[in-house]
Amino acid sequence: MLNFAHRGFSGKYPENTMLAFRKAWEAGADGIELDVQLTKDGQVVIIHDEKLDRTTNGTGNVRDYTLAELRKLDASYIYAGQMGVNPIPTFEEYCAWVAGTDLVTNVELKTGVYPYPDIEEKVWDLLQKYHLENKVIISSFNHFSVLRMKELAPKLKYGLLEESWLLNPGAYVASAGVACYHPYHGSLTPETVAEVKSHNIEINTFTVNDEESVKRLRALGIDIVIGNFPDMVKRVLAE
Ligand code: G3P
Ligand code: CA
């Protein structure tokens, strides 16, 4: 079972910042999950919420600001200066960094609220520029967005995100021609796992933050756990 850091090492460092990504790598994560959206001027940036208010010292929607405006904000302000100033990363900045590591990246297209026209093309262009085609999994709660990107880049690995307890998720994911199911980990009963595996679909699950769940999911044969504490997951998997 592989260990992916959710929004970087977000349990200890400001989520979706280069600091959290570097710390996840140093903690021994196998991969990093991150969220992408578009700025007003069409640049791909890494941030979870559609609004700036929770994680930065800005207010309002990400999509209403240019990249230059967003780069003046601090994405670690809730740490009250203890982490320095950490800007919202561009996806390009991340790609340039991760290309020098052996990390796999799970790029979540945050297209569930705003569809962000052309985000799929822009992500694909950057993945090619930095030769990350074999080191990426693309996922989204917006399954139309996943299929749009799959049209552009059919050889990449894709996952369908789901928070609810679907009846036959393996059949659903297989019918979309997608390789991975990305469910909420609490929904993974032995029966559901067996149904998904019967369709040869990989299971990459979120957000796994306690030791007991890591052990339960390992016993169920889950492929990737995505959590906020990659150090804890690494320790438990080594036991
Ligand atoms: O990709 C797994 C997980 O990150 C999905 O939920 O809200 O944390 O982006 P969320
Ligand atoms: Ca996410």
Side-chain angles (χ1 to χ4, degrees), residues 58-230:
T59 57
N61 286 322
V62 172
R63 67 176 189 157
D64 291 334
Y65 292 89
T66 63
L67 178 60
E69 289 165 340
L70 291 177
R71 290 290 281 186
K72 294 178 186 151
L73 302 177
D74 181 9
S76 58
Y77 92 106
I78 53 177
Y79 286 85
Q82 292 164 37
M83 302 276 176
V85 174
N86 293 273
I88 297 170
T90 64
F91 186 56
E92 176 149 21
E93 175 182 15
Y94 174 84
C95 289
W97 169 75
V98 84
T101 75
D102 57 359
L103 290 164
V104 175
T105 304
N106 176 195
V107 180
E108 181 187 344
L109 304 169
K110 271 281 176 235
T111 45
V113 177
Y114 304 119
Y116 291 122
D118 300 333
I119 193 170
E120 296 88 359
E121 284 86 345
K122 289 173 180 189
V123 167
W124 175 223
D125 286 348
L126 289 167
L127 293 174
Q128 290 177 95
K129 181 173 176 184
Y130 291 94
H131 308 294
L132 295 170
E133 295 93 333
N134 296 319
K135 294 166 66 181
V136 73
I137 305 171
I138 307 292
S139 64
S140 184
F141 287 104
N142 179 342
H143 299 176
F144 291 96
S145 186
V146 171
L147 294 190
R148 261 199 302 277
M149 184 141 178
K150 190 163 174 281
E151 286 266 321
L152 296 168
K155 292 192 175 156
L156 295 188
K157 187 180 256 196
Y158 293 95
L160 299 185
L161 275 160
E162 183 54 56
E163 254 169 330
S164 66
W165 297 48
L166 293 184
L167 288 177
N168 293 295
Y172 174 70
V173 175
S175 75
V178 166
C180 312
Y181 180 43
H182 285 219
Y184 156 60
H185 73 94
S187 71
L188 287 171
T189 62
E191 294 75 20
T192 295
V193 170
E195 191 275 337
V196 176
K197 291 286 173 187
S198 76
H199 291 274
N200 293 317
I201 302 293
E202 288 179 27
I203 304 177
N204 307 327
T205 192
F206 67 94
T207 304
V208 185
N209 288 336
D210 66 280
E211 296 191 18
E212 200 178 316
S213 295
V214 174
K215 289 174 185 165
R216 184 183 87 86
L217 294 162
R218 177 174 54 184
L220 279 172
I222 298 311
D223 296 280
I224 300 173
V225 285
I226 304 167
N228 298 349
F229 299 95

Side-chain angles (χ1 to χ4, degrees), residues 6-7 33-35 48 108 110:
H6 181 241
R7 312 178 193 174
E33 188 268 359
L34 53 81
D35 307 284
H48 179 271
E108 181 187 344
K110 271 281 176 235

Side-chain angles (χ1 to χ4, degrees), residues 8-58:
F9 194 159
S10 61
K12 287 194 187 162
Y13 302 95
E15 68 178 57
N16 280 329
T17 61
M18 291 307 301
L19 175 63
F21 302 142
R22 282 195 299 272
K23 291 294 182 183
W25 186 42
E26 288 168 19
D30 301 302
I32 287 173
E33 188 268 359
L34 53 81
D35 307 284
V36 293
Q37 302 189 50
L38 288 189
T39 65
K40 187 177 179 182
D41 50 343
Q43 301 297 308
V44 186
V45 286
I46 304 177
I47 186 165
H48 179 271
D49 298 5
E50 286 76 17
K51 286 194 178 296
L52 297 161
D53 303 55
R54 180 179 62 86
T55 58
T56 81
N57 52 348

